[in-house]
Amino acid sequence: MVRVRLGPQSHFHLAARRHRGGGQDEWLLAIKQMGGESTEAWRTVLDDLVKRGLRRPELLIVDGGAGLESANRRRLG
């Protein structure tokens, strides 16, 4: 999640990236402006990625945000 402050309001951008390891490139898969890190916000991001061919990730790193964990369990199982 990236928080951008423009004036008095903050805007939340949820981002997903792919890292293959072994010195291979890292790719930004998605970035969406959302109202926060809720389960529904992350589900919107995951739904878009699945529509574009994302399979279940081998490793998902979460910074403690329950929204992404919950959305991942519901969407990618």
Side-chain angles (χ1 to χ4, degrees), residues 28-59:
L28 181 64
L29 299 176
I31 187 164
K32 292 197 177 286
Q33 182 175 338
M34 305 301 280
E37 294 184 83
S38 69
T39 298
E40 288 307 312
W42 275 114
R43 191 166 183 181
T44 299
V45 173
L46 293 177
D47 285 347
D48 178 61
L49 291 171
V50 168
K51 286 178 190 173
R52 294 189 287 132
L54 177 76
R55 296 181 308 243
R56 185 171 189 217
E58 293 177 23
L59 175 66

Side-chain angles (χ1 to χ4, degrees), residues 59-75:
L59 175 66
L60 180 66
I61 300 172
V62 181
D63 66 353
L68 177 53
E69 290 183 46
S70 178
N72 181 60
R73 279 192 306 275
R74 290 181 187 179
R75 186 61 174 113

Side-chain angles (χ1 to χ4, degrees), residues 2-35:
V2 178
R3 183 184 297 187
V4 177
R5 182 171 288 281
L6 299 172
Q9 294 183 336
S10 289
H11 300 273
F12 292 89
H13 292 77
L14 302 181
R17 64 185 194 185
R18 176 184 183 195
H19 180 73
R20 295 198 50 180
Q24 295 184 15
D25 291 338
E26 187 173 303
W27 301 338
L28 181 64
L29 299 176
I31 187 164
K32 292 197 177 286
Q33 182 175 338
M34 305 301 280

